[in-house]
């Protein structure tokens, strides 16, 4: 009995000791707050918002450029402003160059907010595979960031000032947002490019960034216009603005659902400019007597400008105008497709995907000679334009 | 005070001597005697002059008793009893200790010579505070009266709202020394008998020497002592008590405390002020959702800010990140230290403005706000976003109607800050999980603490949480269908869908 009591007392003492130990360890744990190795203080970082990658074929060196944002001042009295800072490093591999940046930067570089990857023309031409590999493997780079190919070296473009005197990344973002209003530039995410890049049958169009100089300005400005074509994981060439518009019209819905564009064409001795918006798009492939593709586009339109008087209050005139617009767009599409098929021989629209989806059995035979068949596929483009709004129905100045 | 279980003696002088002995060194004790013509003692009044209404005593009781004992014939004790009965409720006292407790409770003991029974009549004459507007639970459309320190007045306020004989009040005296009166209120046709028995048992088992406020009762009858959350709702509004009684709950009011307790209570009830029932249902529901957001902000505001800005920079939108970077430049402390500094300063300020005299308190809060807000930022000690986060968190915690719940949330914020600084969002989600598990594990008087929330029936949960228009609430429909007395507690739940008893 006595032994049992002693045992009970010692048990209670043990429990108390344990409780004390637990409380003490909790108290000690509170002292470790903020000691984690994963902590990155916001005051120690430089925010990378655009990255440039160049490749020199002769020296076989990569140049890695970061466009960083830093607070303007370290004094709290004048907060709220950020200044940009461009830093470059060269190395035998992209990772090597990126790591070398650390020796030049007094801050922790953070790529998680990076939105733009600009690849120099040389890098796109000779080392695109390595660049894509680096970007997909890197955990800090978001696959939703946009990839552009620069005419010339990327590092030069990142050093340029913007016309709005805003930060370069904000300026580029604004230009990407404006894409839907004119359709002559294109921006593709790394995710899309990575998906297409491995496809041996189709190519794709990525964005193009270049310097442009207006006659009335002394300074160069950055401009997003046109596109760059890739095939089999390699850069092939540039696309002009008109071809990029056709790529928009024939891409998936996410590219054209908000797109508005304007076109001018001659009509009854006058020059008419219409605003277009794509309503419906269907691209169908057939493999009955050899592969063919039918494209049906249905657009709504608004009259934007008419050079001379036109009696647009008459139904006949409107029908004729609609017909002229449809023919104009059909020709434009045919011209661009002919360029893609015959000149470039790159399936930038993704007809091969359509055949694979709708005719999987036939595709098995087709795919082996796809590069020969693709330039010869007959493509029928049918465009229907409907004019919704006329604006003022008479041209006042000429009346 | 030591009470003797002495019976009252037939000799008045002996009884009076005993009382003089018990109340020795008490100048307030008054013993007045009525004498016969021949100088023999007829009867004595014993009372404490600071507690009783002496004016009423002189004008009515003394005069009438004097006349009756002189003029009428018959046994003196019967004459005295008749006289006292005509003036109020008479309590028969057989023991000296009963006489003593009557005297200390603002009563007058009348001892008739030759009788072994004394008669007591309560005649309180002390000043009490008038009924005032609620100071903590302020509302716009509801009644503007709050409880006072006087038990009878509080009871009458509840009775005026529930004019039914079903309103029962069980009286207790708690505190060996304080002899504080406590009343348990309930509606007989609404309350679950097992719940009533449980509450009664708990109150009866309270052993206290001095009971000053009912917070002591709350501590003693609650089921879980170590949880930071209050499990018994305290209110200063009689309308809230009336609503709660209609829902089948019990209320405890204590003499000397202007706050009543409601048991059982759920966590979400603490987030709903009585105002919800007085506003249009759209607005009431909007406020209910808003308060849930406030609850989240006041618990996790600074912790979330710390974990996002130190561990998960990619989760902040880029423009916001740019703003954060520019405002954090030149700040010497890590975000975690900033948060602890600011939160501590805020708590000090809150406590100081609460305790200081009202006139000074106002200026302290203004000066404090200036110090915390502008000066701290100007001098580069803390960053502007942190000031905003702390201020937002503070304001959100004030939007929680129950003061004691808001305190619990404010207190829990500190461990969450520590966890966020060490383990980021991962640690925060773990601690949130633990907190929810803890809340799920709590029960008050057999009722789950998170009562309307049921993972089995989301529809039922929503029906109880969202306030429908009065016409469509369940109890109104029951009244229409002639099933007004139907609500009974089932499966450990006490809340019925959309209670509206005050509208019936």
């Amino acid at each position: 009995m006595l032994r049992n009591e002693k045992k009970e007392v010692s048990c209670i003492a043990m429990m108390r000791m344990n409780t004390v130990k637990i409380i003490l360890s909790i108290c000690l744990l509170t002292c470790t707050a903020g000691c984690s190795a994963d902590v990155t203080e916001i005051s120690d970082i430089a925010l990378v918002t655009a990255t440039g990658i160049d490749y020199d074929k002769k020296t076989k060196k990569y140049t890695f450029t970061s466009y960083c944002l830093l607070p303007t001042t370290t004094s709290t009295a004048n907060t709220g402003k950020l200044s940009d800072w461009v830093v470059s490093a060269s190395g035998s591999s992209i990772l090597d160059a990126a790591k070398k940046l650390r020796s030049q930067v007094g801050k922790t570089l953070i790529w998680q907010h990076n939105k733009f990857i600009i690849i120099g023309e040389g890098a796109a031409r000779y080392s695109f595979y390595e660049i894509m590999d680096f970007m997909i493997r890197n955990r800090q780079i978001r696959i939703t960031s946009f990839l552009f190919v620069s005419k010339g070296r990327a590092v030069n473009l990142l050093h340029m000032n913007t016309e709005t005197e805003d930060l370069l990344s904000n300026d580029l973002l604004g230009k990407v947002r404006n894409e839907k209003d004119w359709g002559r530039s294109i921006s593709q995410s790394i995710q899309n490019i990575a998906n297409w890049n491995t496809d041996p049958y189709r190519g794709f169009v990525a964005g193009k960034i270049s310097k442009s100089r207006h006659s009335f300005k002394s300074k160069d400005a950055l401009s997003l216009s046109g596109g760059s074509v890739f095939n089999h994981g390699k850069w092939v060439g540039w696309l002009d603005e008109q071809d990029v518009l056709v790529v928009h019209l024939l891409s998936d819905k996410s590219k054209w659902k908000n797109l508005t564009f304007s076109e001018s064409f001659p009509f009854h001795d006058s020059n008419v400019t219409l605003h277009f918006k794509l309503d419906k798009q269907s691209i169908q492939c057939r493999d009955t007597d050899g592969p063919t593709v039918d494209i049906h586009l249905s657009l709504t339109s608004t009259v934007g400008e008419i050079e001379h008087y036109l009696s647009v209050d008459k139904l006949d005139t409107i029908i004729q105008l609609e017909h002229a617009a449809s023919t104009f767009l059909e020709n434009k599409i045919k011209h661009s497709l002919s360029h893609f098929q015959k000149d470039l021989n790159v399936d930038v629209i993704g007809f091969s995907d359509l055949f694979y989806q709708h005719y999987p059995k036939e595709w098995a035979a087709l795919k082996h000679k796809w590069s020969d068949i693709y330039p010869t596929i007959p493509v029928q483009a049918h465009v229907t334009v409907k004019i919704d709004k006329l604006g003022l129905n008479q041209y006042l100045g000429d009346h | 005070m030591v009470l003797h279980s002495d019976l009252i003696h037939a000799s008045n002088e002996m009884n009076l001597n005993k009382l003089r002995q018990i109340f020795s060194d008490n100048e307030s004790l008054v013993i007045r005697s009525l004498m016969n013509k021949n100088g023999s003692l007829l009867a004595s009044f014993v009372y404490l002059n600071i507690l009783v209404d002496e004016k009423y005593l002189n004008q009515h009781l003394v005069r009438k008793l004097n006349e009756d004992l002189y003029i009428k014939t018959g046994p003196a004790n019967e004459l005295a009893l008749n006289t006292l009965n005509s003036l109020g409720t008479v309590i028969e006292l057989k023991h000296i200790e009963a006489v003593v407790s009557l005297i200390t409770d603002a009563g007058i003991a009348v001892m008739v010579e030759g009788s072994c029974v004394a008669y007591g009549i309560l005649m309180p004459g002390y000043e009490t505070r008038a009924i005032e507007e609620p100071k903590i639970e302020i509302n716009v459309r509801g009644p503007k009266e709050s409880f006072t320190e006087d038990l009878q007045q509080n009871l009458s306020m509840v009775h005026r709202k529930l004019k039914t004989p079903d309103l029962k009040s069980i009286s207790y005296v708690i505190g060996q020394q304080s002899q504080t009166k406590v009343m348990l209120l309930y509606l007989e046709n609404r309350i679950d008998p097992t719940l009533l028995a449980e509450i009664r048992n708990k109150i009866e088992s309270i052993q206290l020497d001095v009971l000053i406020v009912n917070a002591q009762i709350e501590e003693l009858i609650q089921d879980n002592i170590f949880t930071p959350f209050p499990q018994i709702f305290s209110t200063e509004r009689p309308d809230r008590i009336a609503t709660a009684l209609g829902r089948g709950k019990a209320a405890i009011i204590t003499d000397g405390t202007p706050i009543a307790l409601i048991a059982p209570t759920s966590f979400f009830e603490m987030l709903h002020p009585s105002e919800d029932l007085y506003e249009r249902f759209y607005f009431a529901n909007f406020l209910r959702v808003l308060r849930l957001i406030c609850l989240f902000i006041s618990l996790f505001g600074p912790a979330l800010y710390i974990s996002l800005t130190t561990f998960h920079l990619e989760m902040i939108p880029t423009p916001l990140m740019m703003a954060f970077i520019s405002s954090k430049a030149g700040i010497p402390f890590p975000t975690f230290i900033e948060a602890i500094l600011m939160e501590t300063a805020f708590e000090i300020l809150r406590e100081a403005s609460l305790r200081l005299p009202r006139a000074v308190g106002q200026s302290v809060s203004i000066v404090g706000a200036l110090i915390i807000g502008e000066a701290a930022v100007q001098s580069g000690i803390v960053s502007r976003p942190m000031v905003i986060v702390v201020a937002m968190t503070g304001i959100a915690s004030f939007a929680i109607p129950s003061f004691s719940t808001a305190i619990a949330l404010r207190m829990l914020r500190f461990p969450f800050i520590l966890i966020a600084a060490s383990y980021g969002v991962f640690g925060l989600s773990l601690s949130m999980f633990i907190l929810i598990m803890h809340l799920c594990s709590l029960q008050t008087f057999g009722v789950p603490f998170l009562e309307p929330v049921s993972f089995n029936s989301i529809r039922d949960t929503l029906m109880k949480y969202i306030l429908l228009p009065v016409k469509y609430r369940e109890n109104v429909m029951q009244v229409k269908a002639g099933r007004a007395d139907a609500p009974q507690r089932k499966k450990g739940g006490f809340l019925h869908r959309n209670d509206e008893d005050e509208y019936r």
Side-chain angles (χ1 to χ4, degrees), chain A residues 161-166 171 175 212 214 216-217 219-222:
Chain A
N161 289 325
T162 57
E163 281 192 283
T164 51
E165 295 190 354
D166 197 356
D171 191 71
K175 284 178 168 129
S212 67
H214 295 290
F216 51 86
K217 276 187 182 164
K219 278 200 305 187
D220 285 337
L222 274 180

Side-chain angles (χ1 to χ4, degrees), chain A residues 33 40-42 113 115 142, chain B residues 310 313-314 316 318 328 335:
Chain A
T40 313
E41 276 299 329
I42 207 166
H113 290 264
K115 280 204 170 59
R142 292 188 182 214
Chain B
T310 49
L313 297 168
E314 69 280 0
I316 306 170
T318 309
K328 190 77 171 68
T335 318

Side-chain angles (χ1 to χ4, degrees), chain A residues 30 32-34 36 38-43 45 47 69 71 73-74 76 79-82 110 112-113 115 142 170, chain B residues 309-311 313-314 316-318 321-322 324-326 328-331 334-336 377-378 380 384 418 421-423:
Chain A
T30 60
T32 64
S36 167
D38 298 333
V39 169
T40 313
E41 276 299 329
I42 207 166
S43 48
I45 62 166
L47 203 66
L69 297 183
T73 167
T74 50
T76 48
T79 56
K81 281 195 171 178
L82 289 170
I110 298 287
Q112 285 136 351
H113 290 264
K115 280 204 170 59
R142 292 188 182 214
N170 288 350
Chain B
T309 53
T310 49
F311 286 92
L313 297 168
E314 69 280 0
I316 306 170
T318 309
M321 186 74 190
M322 289 180 184
F324 281 174
I325 288 177
S326 63
K328 190 77 171 68
I331 305 293
T335 318
F336 160 62
V377 171
Q378 286 294 332
R384 278 175 212 274
L418 291 173
S422 300
Y423 306 105

Side-chain angles (χ1 to χ4, degrees), chain A residues 51-85:
Chain A
T51 305
I53 302 173
D54 287 305
Y55 179 69
D56 190 346
K57 203 190 167 195
K58 282 180 194 164
T59 56
K60 293 191 176 175
K61 291 247 170 187
Y62 288 93
T63 308
F64 195 86
T65 312
S66 290
Y67 178 85
C68 313
L69 297 183
L70 295 169
T72 306
T73 167
T74 50
S75 145
T76 48
N78 188 21
T79 56
K81 281 195 171 178
L82 289 170
S83 57
D84 49 357
W85 177 57

